[in-house]
Amino acid sequence: MADHDATTGVLVDLDGTLLDSVYQQVRAWTDALRAAGHEVAAAHVHAGIGLGGDRLVPWLLGRHVDHAGDIAADHTERFLAAADTLRPTAGALALLDDLERRGVPYTIATSAGAEERAALLSALGREDVPVFDAEGTGSSKPAPDLLLAACDHLEVEPANALMVGDAPWDALAAARVRARPIAVRCGGFSDAVLTGAGAVRIVDDPSALIASL
Amino acid sequence: MADHDATTGVLVDLDGTLLDSVYQQVRAWTDALRAAGHEVAAAHVHAGIGLGGDRLVPWLLGRHVDHAGDIAADHTERFLAAADTLRPTAGALALLDDLERRGVPYTIATSAGAEERAALLSALGREDVPVFDAEGTGSSKPAPDLLLAACDHLEVEPANALMVGDAPWDALAAARVRARPIAVRCGGFSDAVLTGAGAVRIVDDPSALIASL
């Protein structure tokens, strides 16, 4: 802790960052979109993963669709059907333990809905971790609302916070409020995309962040 | 045809290039590896997609494993179980029609095994297309053996061939024999990775190549 300002805090994304879940998300969204009559390339769906669930469908289709909520619900059902294939990313639990042991204020910050959040935490294998969810926090990522509310909860200034996430949307949200965006590659996003979104440090997975946040 | 040298030929990869199949491949390989006791991050599996099936497991694990053939067979079974979710990429059939109509010598060139090849061609929805398979052609991608044999079959000099593929391994194989590597982004590989492997042109999907090869 010696090199830590007491006000430094760490926010950690859940889906794709602590869980190796992005490829299941891509398949679930691609299939749900197709079932609703929208053929979208899987690689394009991948590019939108990490956006708020309310934003992904209009972002992909380039327009508002009335049945976006139905697509999102169908996606959740398909994603939960693959929940038994979810595993923690390398070092996920060890990173949380490290933050805990070193007394760094931290929380998982997630905009996943209740059902997905429960499945993800169950796959993480640790249900006693601090989780700040997006319910009632306003606009979804890449808006910084969740991040601001989580910082407020930790009593940390956003400019003193680190945001660890796998998606460019995490980095964008953090950069907007001068939090420090740190990216993990385990979501399958390229360094160019992560850097372009503002990530100041990119590592393969949470294991590389142990003892260094 | 006016701007074409008569000896120019086009080789087109199947899996990931004409079919939107990479995310199914990632899931199938990740699950098959796990079933054999190897936990590998999905994004890392993704990076190896397009390698010859005989090469992927040692590439991912960093060593020879005796049961790699069993993992590959289990992967094939899992991939075929998702065959109903395979769809052509945008412009896949139209590109083949365009080459046919313009009299450009071309063939699909694939190292997929017989069962996967059949499933991919069935999903393409056109079984009368020319397909050159890797059987008996020697070492798998990124070795250029398949590409050289396919050029020989087309009676085209490799240096006068274009290779259209989604994976860096396609581009590497082409660059090794001075064929012109053209990449499509629909496999989910980044421009940096594709350029690094030698791709001289990168487009979203086959639709962008119509009337321009």
Side-chain angles (χ1 to χ4, degrees):
Chain A
M1 281 184 67
D3 59 345
H4 264 288
D5 184 313
T7 59
T8 298
V10 179
L11 311 181
V12 189
D13 172 58
L14 180 63
D15 195 2
T17 299
L18 294 176
L19 280 306
D20 191 345
S21 52
V22 167
Y23 291 74
Q24 288 89 336
Q25 289 284 13
V26 171
R27 297 282 305 115
W29 278 111
T30 305
D31 288 350
L33 284 156
R34 174 178 300 146
H38 306 288
E39 200 63 47
V40 184
H44 187 36
V45 173
H46 189 172
I49 295 294
L51 273 172
D54 56 321
R55 292 186 191 262
L56 181 61
V57 173
W59 185 82
L60 288 171
L61 302 180
R63 60 189 167 86
H64 170 81
V65 291
D66 286 333
H67 55 290
D70 296 336
I71 297 172
D74 185 26
H75 143 266
T76 297
E77 198 169 311
R78 293 171 189 270
F79 181 72
L80 294 176
D84 64 322
T85 68
L86 300 173
R87 294 293 182 285
T89 52
L93 291 171
L95 175 63
L96 300 181
D97 288 343
D98 171 66
L99 294 171
E100 185 80 36
R101 194 172 53 243
R102 294 162 64 227
V104 180
Y106 78 100
T107 186
I108 293 173
T110 178
S111 55
E115 283 180 298
E116 285 183 61
R117 198 166 66 231
L120 291 161
L121 289 171
S122 167
L124 188 60
R126 188 79 63 82
E127 315 219 358
D128 61 338
V129 289
V131 179
F132 189 84
D133 68 58
E135 279 160 35
T137 60
S139 194
S140 69
K141 285 189 278 191
D145 301 31
L146 168 65
L147 195 154
L148 289 172
C151 283
D152 194 48
H153 169 73
L154 289 182
E155 300 184 354
V156 166
E157 285 297 314
N160 291 331
L162 310 179
M163 169 83 218
V164 179
D166 67 301
W169 316 108
D170 298 310
L172 278 171
R176 284 184 185 182
V177 293
R178 298 183 176 277
R180 190 172 163 85
I182 296 178
V184 286
R185 296 189 180 95
C186 46
F189 291 91
S190 72
D191 283 17
V193 163
L194 295 169
T195 302
V200 294
R201 183 177 172 200
I202 308 180
V203 297
D204 281 351
D205 51 53
S207 69
L209 298 173
I210 294 168
S212 79
L213 294 185
Chain B
M1 281 181 68
D3 58 348
H4 265 286
D5 183 314
T7 59
T8 298
V10 178
L11 311 181
V12 189
D13 171 60
L14 181 61
D15 194 2
T17 298
L18 294 175
L19 279 307
D20 191 346
S21 51
V22 167
Y23 291 75
Q24 289 88 337
Q25 289 284 14
V26 172
R27 298 283 305 114
W29 279 110
T30 305
D31 287 351
L33 284 157
R34 175 177 299 146
H38 305 288
E39 200 62 48
V40 184
H44 188 36
V45 173
H46 190 173
I49 294 294
L51 274 172
D54 58 320
R55 292 185 192 264
L56 181 61
V57 173
W59 185 84
L60 287 171
L61 301 181
R63 59 188 168 88
H64 169 81
V65 291
D66 286 332
H67 53 290
D70 296 336
I71 297 172
D74 184 26
H75 143 267
T76 297
E77 197 170 309
R78 293 170 189 270
F79 180 72
L80 294 176
D84 64 320
T85 67
L86 299 173
R87 294 293 183 283
T89 52
L93 292 171
L95 174 62
L96 300 181
D97 288 345
D98 171 66
L99 294 171
E100 185 79 37
R101 193 173 52 243
R102 294 161 63 228
V104 179
Y106 78 101
T107 186
I108 294 173
T110 178
S111 56
E115 283 180 299
E116 284 182 61
R117 199 166 67 232
L120 291 161
L121 289 170
S122 167
L124 188 60
R126 186 81 62 83
E127 314 219 358
D128 62 338
V129 288
V131 179
F132 189 84
D133 67 59
E135 279 160 34
T137 59
S139 193
S140 70
K141 282 188 277 190
D145 302 31
L146 167 66
L147 195 154
L148 289 171
C151 283
D152 194 49
H153 169 74
L154 289 182
E155 300 183 354
V156 166
E157 286 297 316
N160 291 331
L162 311 179
M163 169 83 218
V164 181
D166 67 302
W169 317 107
D170 298 310
L172 278 172
R176 283 184 186 183
V177 294
R178 298 183 176 277
R180 191 174 162 83
I182 296 177
V184 286
R185 295 190 181 94
C186 46
F189 291 92
S190 72
D191 284 16
V193 163
L194 295 168
T195 301
V200 295
R201 183 177 171 201
I202 307 178
V203 298
D204 281 351
D205 52 51
S207 69
L209 299 173
I210 294 167
S212 80
L213 294 186

